[in-house]
């Protein structure tokens, strides 16, 4: 069965360190998204990609970067981790919009990141 | 920037009661989705509503899209303990590039529902 996986599931790091969170999907979806989830804020979009070599900034992109070298993977990098980036991070993917689809997104299980 | 206001943020009820969660915006969305999330897991899609005034039913859950496509509601009849979880609404907007439409979601803050036995 197709799926979307994230690793690691839990990560503790120190302020200033570079951290990369992995996201891998086997849906063969063109679109991939990274969100962070904090209580009272729902899911906020960090970066997104509509295809290989395409990346775009979301509403909370400062301090984060992504790269898309293939269809399956969209790793999220925190260049210099800060305590404000302690959060739960979700990766999602969706098929290209068509008459049958409406950007329904499939989510990974999340990565809980703690920055000390 | 499109915003979705979801209410209430917390809801604690007894098994068997009915409840309604609201999702409101000043912006028009192409479609609106409802997701349910359990602790330690990612959100899972429940339903997509597309047409203004549309009503969809999923067993005891009824979803409605406002006529102007700016608001939506989720009504649960006779809640069960298994309904406990975080409910999220999300509106779809599209960007066009090179003749292709690309969609992204704007999420509400979520409603944490607790159903007590």
């Amino acid at each position: 069965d197709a799926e979307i996986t994230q690793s690691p599931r839990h990560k503790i790091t120190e302020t200033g360190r570079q951290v990369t969170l992995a996201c891998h999907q086997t849906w063969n979806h063109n679109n991939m998204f990274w969100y962070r989830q904090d209580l009272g804020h729902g899911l906020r979009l960090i970066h997104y990609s509509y295809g290989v070599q395409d990346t775009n900034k979301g509403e909370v992109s400062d301090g984060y970067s992504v790269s898309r070298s293939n269809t399956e993977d969209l790793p999220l990098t925190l260049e210099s981790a800060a305590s404000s980036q302690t959060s739960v991070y979700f990766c999602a993917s969706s098929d290209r919009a068509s008459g049958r689809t409406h950007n329904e997104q499939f989510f990974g299980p999340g990565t809980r990141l703690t920055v000390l | 920037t499109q915003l979705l206001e979801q209410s209430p943020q917390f809801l604690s009820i007894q098994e068997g009661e009915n409840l309604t969660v609201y999702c409101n915006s000043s912006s028009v969305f192409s479609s609106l989705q409802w997701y349910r999330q359990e602790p330690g897991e990612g959100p899972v899609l429940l339903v997509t509503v597309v047409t203004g005034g549309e009503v969809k039913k999923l067993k005891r859950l009824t979803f409605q899209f406002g006529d102007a496509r700016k608001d939506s509601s989720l009504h649960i009849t006779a809640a069960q303990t298994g309904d406990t979880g975080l409910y999220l609404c999300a509106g779809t907007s599209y960007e066009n590039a090179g003749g292709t439409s690309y969609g992204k979601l704007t999420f509400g803050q979520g409603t944490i529902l607790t159903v007590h036995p």
Side-chain angles (χ1 to χ4, degrees):
Chain A
D1 287 347
E3 61 178 355
I4 180 165
T5 57
Q6 293 183 235
S7 61
R9 294 295 313 277
H10 302 271
K11 174 77 176 179
I12 300 174
T13 191
E14 296 177 341
T15 301
R17 290 191 179 267
Q18 184 181 79
V19 176
T20 296
L21 309 183
C23 174
H24 180 81
Q25 54 100 0
T26 58
W27 289 98
N28 198 33
H29 284 161
N30 290 297
N31 307 331
M32 295 184 73
F33 308 84
W34 272 104
Y35 298 90
R36 60 178 289 174
Q37 186 173 41
D38 306 285
L39 188 62
H41 292 280
L43 286 158
R44 291 184 291 175
L45 185 62
I46 304 171
H47 281 286
Y48 56 104
S49 168
Y50 289 138
V52 176
Q53 302 301 330
D54 175 75
T55 60
N56 305 280
K57 293 182 178 181
E59 61 178 306
V60 290
S61 60
D62 288 349
Y64 304 94
S65 64
V66 293
S67 62
R68 187 92 179 270
S69 59
N70 58 51
T71 300
E72 296 80 16
D73 299 288
L74 186 70
L76 176 71
T77 297
L78 286 69
E79 305 294 345
S80 177
S83 57
S84 60
Q85 295 177 308
T86 292
S87 187
V88 181
Y89 291 85
F90 287 97
C91 180
S93 69
S94 70
D95 204 354
R96 185 165 290 170
S98 70
R100 295 180 297 107
T101 66
H102 302 282
N103 195 40
E104 289 87 353
Q105 295 189 7
F106 296 82
F107 284 82
T111 293
R112 182 173 294 276
L113 177 67
T114 302
V115 183
L116 301 175
Chain B
T1 303
Q2 295 178 304
L3 294 174
L4 270 172
E5 295 290 332
Q6 196 171 333
S7 63
Q9 188 174 356
F10 300 95
L11 199 51
S12 180
I13 63 172
Q14 294 296 126
E15 199 168 29
E17 293 182 359
N18 301 332
L19 67 112
T20 303
V21 177
Y22 300 94
C23 186
N24 296 293
S25 175
S26 58
S27 303
V28 175
F29 288 99
S30 301
S31 62
L32 198 136
Q33 297 161 22
W34 285 91
Y35 291 81
R36 179 166 174 264
Q37 184 180 12
E38 298 198 27
E41 300 180 6
V44 176
L45 179 69
L46 294 174
V47 76
T48 300
V49 284
V50 179
T51 306
E54 182 176 5
V55 177
K56 281 192 174 179
K57 291 191 175 184
L58 191 65
K59 296 184 181 178
R60 295 174 294 99
L61 279 61
T62 301
F63 304 86
Q64 186 162 5
F65 202 12
D67 291 341
R69 292 189 292 143
K70 293 182 179 180
D71 56 88
S72 181
S73 64
L74 157 61
H75 182 79
I76 301 180
T77 303
Q80 300 176 354
T81 55
D83 295 327
T84 293
L86 173 66
Y87 290 82
L88 294 156
C89 64
T92 295
S93 57
Y94 288 98
E95 302 170 334
N96 293 303
T100 302
S101 290
Y102 301 97
K104 62 176 181 176
L105 295 177
T106 299
F107 280 86
Q109 305 97 316
T111 295
I112 298 174
L113 171 64
T114 304
V115 182
H116 301 279

